[in-house]
Amino acid sequence: MPSSVREKPSWWFKVQETVIRRDGTGDLGVTVAGGADRGEFPYLEEVRPGKVHCLSGDLHPGDLILEVNGTPVFGLTLGDTLGVLRTCRDPIRLKTVTPGAALSKDLCEYLNKSFQSGSADSELQQVIRENLYLRAIPCKLNQ
């Protein structure tokens, strides 16, 4: 395989794009949980039937949220992820994936895996680390 062609991980082919919009009150019809501050990918905790206005695609409870309108949210805190959702204009494009053996909601587990340099998984780890470092507070411990 040529070096310019990156092998995609198995979960990559299961990524879904869903387009949703808010209702008249501004509600998206979903509850988001997780986040880096909890050691998890952000995920859909609840998808309220009849309240989610999907223009295309489908959402399921437990799906991991990878992007919101092109902004990677893996590695962001829950508050930051909710902030991205709040500031997006309708329609909102969500890239999600159903967790499985290769990609669970456990962020620490994923960051502890070893991947070939330059692979899609390795690049995802790098983006997660960059997002985590945005919120890292350096401190000196007194000993």
Side-chain angles (χ1 to χ4, degrees), residues 23-115:
D23 67 11
T25 67
D27 185 20
L28 287 172
V30 298
T31 304
V32 178
D37 46 330
R38 291 167 173 81
E40 298 174 328
F41 283 89
Y43 66 93
L44 297 170
E45 183 176 50
E46 180 184 15
V47 178
R48 295 185 293 282
K51 291 292 274 176
V52 177
H53 299 281
C54 288
L55 304 176
S56 68
D58 200 14
L59 297 174
H60 303 95
D63 284 354
L64 307 178
I65 305 170
L66 302 176
E67 289 183 9
V68 176
N69 281 2
T71 300
V73 295
F74 35 82
L76 293 183
T77 65
L78 177 60
D80 287 341
T81 302
L82 293 174
V84 171
L85 282 166
R86 266 192 306 274
T87 59
C88 286
R89 292 185 178 164
D90 284 351
I92 298 172
R93 296 184 186 287
L94 299 176
K95 282 195 180 177
T96 61
V97 65
T98 301
L103 188 66
S104 71
K105 71 178 183 176
D106 188 334
L107 199 58
C108 298
E109 177 184 305
Y110 188 74
L111 287 173
N112 284 326
K113 292 181 180 180
S114 294
F115 299 106

